Amino acid sequence: SGSQRQEARLGLPESLSAEPGARLEPPAATLTFTVRSTTESVTLPSVPVWPMTPPTEFNRWRINVEPILLREIELTGPSDIMERIRSGDIRVIATIQLSSDDLDQQITSKTPVIVGLPDSVTVETRIDPVTITIEPLPVSDDDDTATQE
């Protein structure tokens, strides 16, 4: 966004326009101005990666993600939204959504997705897949044991 030029007519303020002999010279001027961008970028030093599973799978698996933080994630968007991201008012996280099939197959990698951002914000950084370790948790017998009297 470079400099822009605009012709403008000049006029006396109302309080002076009634004064005898009051004139404004010159009657016009050329204004030169630069429009500042209302879009800016923010680079977050780290964004946490949260595994997400269906509720029915929650207690069945141990899930480890490596790395657990994405580094140097650049976001671009409207200045007011970027300020809310910088201040922590808008929390930025990345998720890996694991389906029941993903868990059963014990997949070993998936690409995280940044979630919770307004549509006006774009992720500029390419996000690589993370390594996932999925292990079944031991089945608890507590629910099946009946007390005998």
Side-chain angles (χ1 to χ4, degrees), residues 80-92 116:
D80 57 330
I81 303 287
M82 293 295 104
E83 182 51 43
R84 291 179 59 205
I85 289 171
R86 242 193 313 278
S87 73
D89 183 32
I90 294 178
R91 176 102 194 252
V92 179

Side-chain angles (χ1 to χ4, degrees), residues 9-111:
R9 291 196 44 193
L10 304 176
L12 287 170
E14 261 185 60
S15 59
L16 291 177
S17 61
E19 293 289 323
R23 288 189 5 225
L24 184 63
E25 288 292 331
T30 301
L31 306 176
T32 304
F33 55 94
T34 302
V35 177
R36 294 216 174 149
S37 173
T38 56
T39 299
E40 63 182 85
S41 293
V42 169
T43 300
L44 300 175
S46 64
V47 172
V49 179
W50 292 1
M52 294 180 65
T53 65
T56 54
E57 302 287 355
F58 187 74
N59 292 319
R60 293 187 54 216
W61 306 96
R62 177 178 293 115
I63 302 163
N64 290 309
V65 176
E66 187 62 40
I68 59 168
L69 295 173
L70 302 179
R71 300 285 180 189
E72 302 300 316
I73 301 300
E74 184 183 358
L75 306 173
T76 302
S79 301
D80 57 330
I81 303 287
M82 293 295 104
E83 182 51 43
R84 291 179 59 205
I85 289 171
R86 242 193 313 278
S87 73
D89 183 32
I90 294 178
R91 176 102 194 252
V92 179
I93 64 166
T95 63
I96 48 168
Q97 295 188 347
L98 299 169
S99 67
S100 296
D101 288 344
D102 291 339
L103 294 165
D104 288 337
Q105 295 165 17
Q106 296 182 15
I107 64 166
T108 57
S109 75
K110 195 161 191 176
T111 303

